[in-house]
């Protein structure tokens, strides 16, 4: 077990209690802030090398959003750490009943390549805030960022309590043989299953941030120009390599006809007449992914884009029409800059279509009619939902971010990350006196005692519930 | 398996129809559950008595479902939305079906099997497991009161409670006083002849009876030790000067046997507890508030009660669940509701006000970013 030494070293640090004081956690979090500030340029460069990530995008997702999470945490940590006092019943009035937030111990964070800093750092913020030690396993596919993290993070964080492990599938498999107190995984559903199965051997709780095909329904009543911009922005951000990107469009054939010029217009507005020359459009992360996505383009008919360049791993912003449900592009998460349009007759058909498939990480619905947006929200199930925009629900630290069913389990961001990495421990501190109050519960059992017990313990049903 | 698929399929169809969503439906079902407990109270009590010689049920706390017996109480065909199945062997088959959440209460070994099965379908799980819940008695405490509360929690349901104090940690100087006090309390509770007390339970079956009996081998029995296989009776038993390496200190006892392990200080007690798997409950008795705070802060457990046992589980506003080997997730009160809900983040925007969005669209420049 090649990682046993590392894990037990971290476990010893954990048992020493050094990660528990608030001051320690704040110091580590502030160090993370310095990492983001001082290594900003290196982060932008590494992600550009890895997937041609435009620096505007990299700054937004890898620096700005991370700093937001840091600041929310630093601003509120004192409050989050406090014991939460709860209501008591009649006999416990002199007792102390509270929820204690305990760290789990040594946690493992496994991150993917598409937002390689953000997707390890935001979970790490919560792990540190909650008082844990952590092993970070960045993705080997975004190899420049992996190297940056492996080489520089140790200069900022306490090496007794935080470590970076690099490697691919074999290394991750060996790492998972060890016992962790929590595992936070972001990646694909098949690997999510492997992680959860490995976690089951040690009864380790997990958060799995997975993926799926995020549907985007566009109703007939909507401002086509704005819809096109928001959809184009969400679909082609990071060259489509975003877990909550709108994966495919659902609309009527009339709307498709109206949307097409608007989509074309938006793409040109954003990336110019030749997106390949735009500094604001990314590249595919690897040859393997490039070939996979390129093959998906043989589904249906290319209405916009379609150009590729293997040397650069460039795939143009592409829109496909006449797509069959049995086509390969409708069988897997695209994770690339292709937007297929699936034609449906009406909203009900769109909702049925969505519900017939695995529950996605996000569902999008565009309509000027708020009733339509609410219908889609109410009659479907997904990790998250955004009406009349794409991706944006992720940027609010007050909203829980996570999947359901195949798209994942658990949630994070803001306080939810802190809660994810804390064990909420129910505590009751009783008085040693007033022993007579306890007599009704002791044998010998009598009807009279039962009556007394019921009176003191009973929670009565309130009057009639006011319906929401 | 086909029947299982049918049952699950029917429940899924019922869910997909949206029937279970309105508040009125949920309240109606909960009221029906309440009616069942009230109307079938005699039957439930009879079943529990036959299974465990259990006698006292506090209304408002629904008793644990017991395989087999529970099925006979549900008349006719199970309704589409709710179904009760029976038999242990079928549980492994049932787990091959896809569920949207699994809540399992039982032991850690089976907990691992449940989680592994759930992993195949990426099904979230709540596991309420067990472990050895330690009970530290400080020298500075009202020993009579402490021992009475411990006696109650340990021997109720004949020790078959997941949060029963499993073993005691205390200074060697008070060990014999602890035994004396528990002995006196036992007499108070169950009379001179425990076996004939209507208030003392029995072990659920022969297998567990034999298992618990095995734990007594080679131990110093300070009190009790009498057994009767025919009625699965094991007297309230205390073992003293127990070695940490002995069998009785390896597995969750889940029976009316209370080992005492001596420790010289609270530091030793804390170290002892931390060397072992995280328990479902942790108990500490002391007049010293600082000491109690310290024990809580320097250990980890599902839940804690200080100066009593069991009671943290009766407050619906406290989350009830384990950590590490004692489980994951929590329920009771609103925690049950949250366990079975998906908190879906929703952002609904206006289709107008596009100007604000322009800040984020390409062509991007670093100047715009700093706005």
């Amino acid at each position: 077990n090649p990682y046993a030494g590392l894990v037990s070293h971290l476990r010893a640090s954990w048992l020493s209690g050094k990660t528990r004081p608030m001051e320690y956690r704040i110091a580590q979090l502030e160090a993370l802030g310095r990492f983001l500030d001082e290594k900003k340029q290196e982060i932008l460069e590494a992600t550009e090398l890895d997937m041609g990530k435009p620096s505007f995008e990299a700054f937004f997702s890898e620096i700005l959003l991370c700093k937001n999470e840091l600041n929310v945490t630093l601003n509120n940590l004192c409050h989050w750490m406090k014991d939460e006092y709860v209501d008591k019943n009649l006999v416990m009035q002199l007792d102390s009943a509270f929820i204690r937030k305990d760290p789990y111990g040594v946690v493992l964070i496994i991150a993917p390549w598409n937002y390689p800093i953000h997707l390890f750092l935001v979970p790490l913020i919560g792990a540190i805030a909650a008082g844990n030690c952590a092993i970070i396993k960045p993705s080997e596919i975004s190899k420049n960022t992996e190297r940056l993290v492996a080489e520089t993070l140790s200069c900022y964080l306490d090496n007794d309590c935080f470590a970076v492990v690099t490697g691919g599938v074999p290394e991750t498999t060996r790492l998972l043989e060890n016992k962790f107190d929590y595992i936070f995984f972001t990646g694909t559903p098949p690997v999510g299953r492997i992680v959860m199965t490995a976690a089951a051997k040690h009864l380790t709780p997990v958060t799995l941030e997975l993926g799926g095909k995020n549907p985007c329904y566009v109703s007939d009543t909507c401002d086509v120009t704005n819809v096109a911009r928001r959809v184009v922005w969400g679909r082609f951000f990071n060259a489509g390599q975003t877990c909550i990107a709108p994966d495919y469009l659902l609309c009527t054939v009339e709307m498709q006809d109206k949307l097409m010029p608007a989509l074309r217009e938006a793409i040109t507005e954003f990336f110019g007449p030749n997106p390949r020359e735009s500094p604001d459009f990314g590249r595919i992360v690897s040859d393997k992914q490039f070939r996979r996505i390129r093959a998906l383009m043989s589904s249906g008919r290319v209405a916009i884009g379609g150009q590729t360049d293997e040397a650069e791993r460039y795939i143009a912003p592409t829109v496909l029409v006449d797509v069959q449900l049995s086509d390969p592009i409708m069988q897997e998460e695209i994770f690339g800059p292709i937007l297929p349009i699936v034609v449906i007759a009406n909203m009900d058909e769109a909702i049925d279509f969505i519900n017939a498939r695995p529950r996605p990480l996000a569902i999008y619905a565009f309509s000027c009619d708020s009733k339509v947006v609410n219908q889609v929200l109410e009659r479907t199930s997904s990790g998250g939902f955004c009406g009349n925009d794409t991706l944006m629900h992720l940027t609010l630290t007050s909203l829980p971010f996570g999947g359901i069913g195949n798209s994942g389990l658990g949630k994070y961001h803001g306080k939810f990350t802190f809660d994810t990495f804390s064990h909420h421990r129910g505590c009751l501190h009783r008085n040693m006196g007033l022993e007579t109050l306890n007599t009704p519960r002791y044998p010998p059992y009598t009807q009279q005692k039962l009556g007394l017990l019921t009176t003191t313990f009973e929670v009565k049903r309130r009057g009639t519930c006011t319906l929401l | 398996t086909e029947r299982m698929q049918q049952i699950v399929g029917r429940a899924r169809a019922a869910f997909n129809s949206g029937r279970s969503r309105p508040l009125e439906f949920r309240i109606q079902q909960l009221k029906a559950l309440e009616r069942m407990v009230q109307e079938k109270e005699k039957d439930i009590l009879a079943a529990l008595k036959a299974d465990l010689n259990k006698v006292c049920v506090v209304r408002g706390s629904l008793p644990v479902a017991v395989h087999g017996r529970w099925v006979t109480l549900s008349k006719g065909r199970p309704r589409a939305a709710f179904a009760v199945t029976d038999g242990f062997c079928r549980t492994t088959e049932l787990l091959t079906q896809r569920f949207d959440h699994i809540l399992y209460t039982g032991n850690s070994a089976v907990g691992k099997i449940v989680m592994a099965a759930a992993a195949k379908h990426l099904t979230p799980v709540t596991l309420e497991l067990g472990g050895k819940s330690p009970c530290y008695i400080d020298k500075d405490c009202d020993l009579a009161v402490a021992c009475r509360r411990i006696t109650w929690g340990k021997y109720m349901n004949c020790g078959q409670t997941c949060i029963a104090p499993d073993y005691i940690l205390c200074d060697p100087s008070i060990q014999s006083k602890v035994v004396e006090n528990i002995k006196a309390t036992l007499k108070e509770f169950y009379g001179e002849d425990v076996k004939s007390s209507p208030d003392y339970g029995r072990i659920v079956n022969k297998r567990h009876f034999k298992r618990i009996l095995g734990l007594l081998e080679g131990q110093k029995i300070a009190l009790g030790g009498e057994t009767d296989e025919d009625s699965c009776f094991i007297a309230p038993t205390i073992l003293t000067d127990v070695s940490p390496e002995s069998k009785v200190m390896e597995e969750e006892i889940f029976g009316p046997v209370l080992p005492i392990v001596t420790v010289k200080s609270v530091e030793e007690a804390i170290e002892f507890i931390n060397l072992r798997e995280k328990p479902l409950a942790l108990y500490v008795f002391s007049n010293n508030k600082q000491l109690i705070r310290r024990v809580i802060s320097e250990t980890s457990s599902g839940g804690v009660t200080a100066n009593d046992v069991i009671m943290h589980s009766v407050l619906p506003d406290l989350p009830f669940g384990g950590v590490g080997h004692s489980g994951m997730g929590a329920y009771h009160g609103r925690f049950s509701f949250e366990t079975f809900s998906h908190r879906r983040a929703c952002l609904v925007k206006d289709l107008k006000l596009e100007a604000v969005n322009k800040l984020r669209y390409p062509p991007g420049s670093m100047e715009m970013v700093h706005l």
Side-chain angles (χ1 to χ4, degrees):
Chain A
N1 189 344
Y3 300 105
L6 177 63
V7 177
S8 57
H9 178 77
L10 255 57
R11 198 167 286 286
S13 303
W14 152 252
L15 286 170
S16 77
K18 80 191 286 208
T19 58
R20 304 189 77 142
M22 187 175 78
E23 298 73 23
Y24 176 88
R25 305 182 199 189
I26 288 181
Q28 296 301 304
L29 289 170
E30 286 175 344
L32 269 185
R34 280 197 309 279
F35 165 77
L36 287 173
D37 288 334
E38 292 168 17
K39 294 298 167 195
K40 180 172 86 187
Q41 213 30 59
E42 285 88 336
I43 291 172
L44 299 185
E45 278 162 17
T47 52
E48 214 219 314
L49 283 170
D50 282 331
M51 64 204 90
K53 202 188 268 284
S55 36
F56 186 99
E57 288 184 5
F59 184 85
F60 185 73
S61 69
E62 308 309 278
I63 311 287
L64 182 63
L65 290 182
C66 295
K67 294 290 291 280
N68 281 357
E69 290 283 340
L70 254 175
N71 290 339
V72 162
T73 305
L74 284 165
N75 289 343
N76 293 289
L77 186 57
C78 182
H79 178 64
W80 292 350
M81 277 175 70
K82 284 205 170 88
D83 290 337
E84 256 178 68
Y85 285 86
V86 301
D87 285 342
K88 297 171 288 196
N89 61 26
L90 220 59
V91 288
M92 293 180 188
Q93 286 309 306
L94 293 183
D95 304 327
S96 190
F98 56 95
I99 301 172
R100 162 69 53 91
K101 319 295 172 64
D102 275 343
Y104 278 108
V106 179
V107 309
L108 172 64
I109 296 170
I110 302 176
W113 50 263
N114 55 339
Y115 294 92
I117 300 287
H118 182 119
L119 292 174
F120 88 78
L121 203 126
V122 175
L124 180 61
I125 289 170
I128 294 175
N132 299 282
C133 293
I135 290 185
I136 298 122
K137 164 73 190 66
S139 170
E140 75 283 12
I141 295 174
S142 45
K143 52 186 188 295
N144 294 284
T145 315
E146 185 201 36
R147 193 183 317 128
L148 175 68
V149 174
E151 285 171 9
T152 60
L153 201 63
S154 53
C155 306
Y156 292 87
L157 296 178
D158 181 350
N159 293 329
D160 282 334
C161 301
F162 307 102
V164 177
V165 166
T166 57
V169 172
E171 286 81 8
T172 312
T173 312
R174 300 305 314 266
L175 191 55
L176 283 170
E177 284 165 19
N178 292 280
K179 178 180 171 176
F180 292 96
D181 302 301
Y182 203 95
I183 297 177
F184 190 104
F185 170 78
T186 305
T188 63
V191 182
R193 284 191 192 89
I194 294 171
V195 171
M196 189 168 170
T197 306
K201 293 198 171 74
H202 297 288
L203 287 170
T204 299
V206 299
T207 292
L208 306 174
E209 296 273 328
L210 311 176
K213 293 182 76 60
N214 305 316
C216 181
Y217 169 65
V218 179
S219 84
D220 285 339
T221 52
C222 68
D223 180 335
V224 173
T225 318
N226 288 349
V227 171
R229 278 210 198 91
R230 297 174 192 195
V231 170
V232 161
W233 177 74
R235 169 75 280 188
F236 301 116
F237 195 93
N238 202 27
Q241 297 159 116
T242 309
C243 51
I244 45 166
D247 188 274
Y248 63 96
L249 220 71
L250 286 165
C251 65
T252 60
V253 69
E254 293 83 21
M255 178 46 56
Q256 182 183 268
D257 290 338
K258 288 205 199 103
L259 258 180
M260 203 57 72
L263 290 169
R264 210 183 300 268
E265 173 84 42
I267 291 173
T268 312
E269 204 187 300
F270 290 1
F271 308 116
N274 186 2
R276 194 163 154 195
E277 287 164 14
S278 163
D280 299 328
F281 184 71
R283 296 293 180 268
I284 305 305
V285 72
S286 70
D287 295 327
K288 181 172 159 199
Q289 288 293 322
F290 173 85
R291 285 193 281 266
R292 179 189 67 81
I293 301 165
R294 184 179 57 184
L296 296 178
M297 278 205 288
S298 56
S299 313
R301 175 173 61 84
V302 173
I304 302 174
Q307 302 87 354
T308 67
D309 181 320
E310 186 152 2
E312 266 186 53
R313 291 197 294 270
Y314 165 79
I315 296 179
T318 301
V319 177
L320 298 178
V321 295
D322 301 335
V323 165
Q324 299 302 316
L325 298 188
S326 52
D327 283 333
I329 202 162
M330 288 309 289
Q331 306 310 316
E332 60 182 81
E333 187 175 356
I334 297 165
F335 227 67
I338 307 176
L339 181 68
I341 302 182
V342 173
V343 163
I344 37 84
N346 51 48
M347 180 188 73
D348 287 328
E349 220 180 274
I351 290 175
D352 287 343
F353 187 93
I354 293 171
N355 287 338
R357 311 177 109 66
R359 286 177 289 186
L361 192 49
I363 289 179
Y364 300 109
F366 285 84
S367 180
C368 284
D369 184 350
S370 62
K371 282 201 280 300
V372 170
V373 172
N374 281 326
Q375 279 275 293
V376 177
L377 170 59
E378 221 147 283
R379 289 162 59 186
T380 60
S381 177
S382 61
F385 176 91
C386 190
N388 293 329
D389 209 336
T390 58
L391 311 190
M392 293 304 281
H393 59 290
L394 174 142
T395 63
L396 274 179
T397 56
S398 47
L399 283 178
F401 182 74
I404 185 176
N406 256 43
S407 55
L409 53 100
K411 56 197 175 290
Y412 72 126
H413 284 187
K415 179 167 189 276
F416 299 102
T417 323
F418 175 85
D419 285 340
T420 286
F421 285 103
S422 313
H423 166 59
H424 290 226
R425 190 180 187 192
C427 299
L428 178 63
H429 183 158
R430 304 208 70 192
N431 207 292
M432 273 274 228
L434 303 169
E435 182 61 356
T436 38
L437 283 180
N438 284 343
T439 322
R441 79 188 196 205
Y442 297 142
Y445 300 131
T446 64
Q447 266 310 117
Q448 188 192 47
K449 278 184 177 176
L450 193 57
L452 255 172
L453 207 61
T454 308
T455 319
T456 50
F457 273 88
E458 205 169 32
V459 173
K460 282 196 149 38
R461 177 91 202 281
R462 265 184 295 199
T464 15
C465 215
T466 13
L467 294 179
L468 301 151
Chain B
T1 322
E2 216 183 278
R3 184 171 159 255
M4 207 114 335
Q5 270 168 355
Q6 269 176 20
I7 295 177
V8 177
R10 259 210 307 267
R12 197 168 283 291
F15 174 75
N16 288 341
S17 76
R19 265 173 63 199
S20 62
R21 301 186 76 140
L23 178 63
E24 298 80 15
F25 176 87
R26 304 183 199 192
I27 288 182
Q28 181 198 56
Q29 294 303 304
L30 288 170
K31 278 187 166 159
L33 208 57
E34 188 183 39
R35 260 198 331 275
M36 180 183 83
V37 174
Q38 283 167 354
E39 289 170 17
K40 298 295 171 193
E41 192 179 315
K42 283 212 173 63
D43 296 305
I44 294 172
L45 293 177
L48 289 169
K49 187 155 176 70
D51 284 331
L52 298 159
N53 205 41
K54 203 198 245 295
V55 280
C56 186
V57 175
V58 178
R59 187 173 300 162
S61 76
L62 291 176
V64 172
V66 178
H67 276 306
R69 296 279 170 173
W70 209 233
V71 171
T72 61
L73 292 174
S74 71
K75 284 223 190 99
R77 263 179 12 170
R79 287 229 201 114
F82 304 101
V84 180
T85 65
D86 55 355
F88 168 74
C89 303
R90 304 250 193 95
T91 310
T92 29
E93 262 183 71
L94 195 55
L95 284 174
T96 59
Q97 300 293 314
R98 178 159 173 256
F99 294 95
D100 301 304
H101 192 101
I102 297 176
L103 187 148
Y104 168 74
T105 304
N107 66 57
S108 307
V110 179
K112 289 180 183 170
I113 296 172
V114 172
M115 188 171 172
K120 293 201 170 71
H121 296 291
L122 291 169
T123 298
V125 297
T126 300
L127 303 176
E128 297 275 328
L129 310 176
K132 294 181 77 60
S133 300
C135 180
Y136 175 67
I137 308 178
D138 187 31
K139 276 194 282 198
D140 173 20
C141 85
D142 185 336
L143 219 48
V145 171
C147 291
R148 184 179 294 117
R149 298 179 182 186
I150 292 169
T151 307
W152 169 72
K154 176 72 194 186
Y155 299 108
M156 117 172 122
N157 203 28
C158 209
Q160 297 160 118
T161 308
C162 52
I163 45 170
D166 187 276
Y167 64 97
I168 289 184
L169 290 167
C170 70
D171 192 279
S173 63
I174 57 169
Q175 189 179 213
S176 49
K177 281 206 208 81
V178 168
V179 175
E180 267 169 51
N181 275 295
I182 295 180
K183 186 173 177 187
T185 309
L186 283 169
K187 218 170 275 185
E188 238 182 85
F189 286 1
Y190 305 115
E192 289 294 337
D193 178 23
V194 180
K195 200 161 174 207
S196 54
S197 164
D199 299 334
Y200 187 71
R202 295 292 182 270
I203 302 305
V204 70
N205 60 31
K206 291 264 172 12
R207 178 168 70 86
H208 279 287
F209 173 87
K210 289 198 174 88
R211 178 187 64 79
I212 300 165
L213 205 56
L215 300 176
L216 299 178
E217 262 165 61
Q219 295 297 337
K220 208 192 291 181
I221 298 179
L223 184 73
E226 301 91 8
T227 66
D228 173 22
E229 185 158 348
D230 286 332
S231 57
C232 285
F233 166 82
I234 298 181
T237 301
I238 306 177
L239 309 173
T240 48
D241 296 318
V242 176
S243 152
E245 283 81 38
S246 51
K247 195 140 186 275
V248 76
M249 286 307 290
E250 264 169 39
E251 56 180 81
E252 187 176 353
I253 296 166
F254 223 67
V257 172
L258 182 62
I260 303 181
V261 174
T262 56
V263 288
K264 295 271 173 36
S265 62
V266 71
E267 286 82 18
E268 216 185 295
I270 291 172
E271 208 191 314
F272 187 94
I273 292 168
N274 286 341
L275 279 173
R276 290 150 171 272
E277 296 295 348
K278 297 176 191 174
L280 187 51
L282 186 140
Y283 302 114
V284 47
F285 286 82
S286 178
N287 285 328
N288 183 345
K289 286 202 170 94
Q290 283 285 63
L291 185 140
I292 289 179
R293 264 199 285 269
R294 200 180 150 197
V295 172
I296 298 178
S297 295
E298 293 179 24
T299 59
S300 182
S301 64
V304 176
T305 297
N307 293 334
D308 206 338
V309 297
I310 314 284
M311 297 304 279
H312 63 284
S313 66
V314 310
L315 273 182
D317 285 346
L318 284 180
F320 182 73
V323 66
H325 266 227
S326 54
M328 59 183 77
Y331 71 123
H332 284 189
R334 76 178 150 91
F335 302 100
S336 304
F337 176 83
E338 280 167 24
T339 286
F340 289 103
S341 310
H342 167 63
R343 302 178 86 179
R344 191 180 186 193
C346 300
L347 176 66
V348 181
K349 297 188 70 175
D350 204 291
L351 254 184
K352 304 187 279 292
L353 302 172
E354 186 61 354
V356 180
N357 283 352
K358 292 228 164 89
L359 280 177
R360 74 189 201 218
Y361 296 152
S365 70
M366 293 309 274
E367 287 91 60
M368 294 199 88
V369 154
H370 292 289
L371 265 164

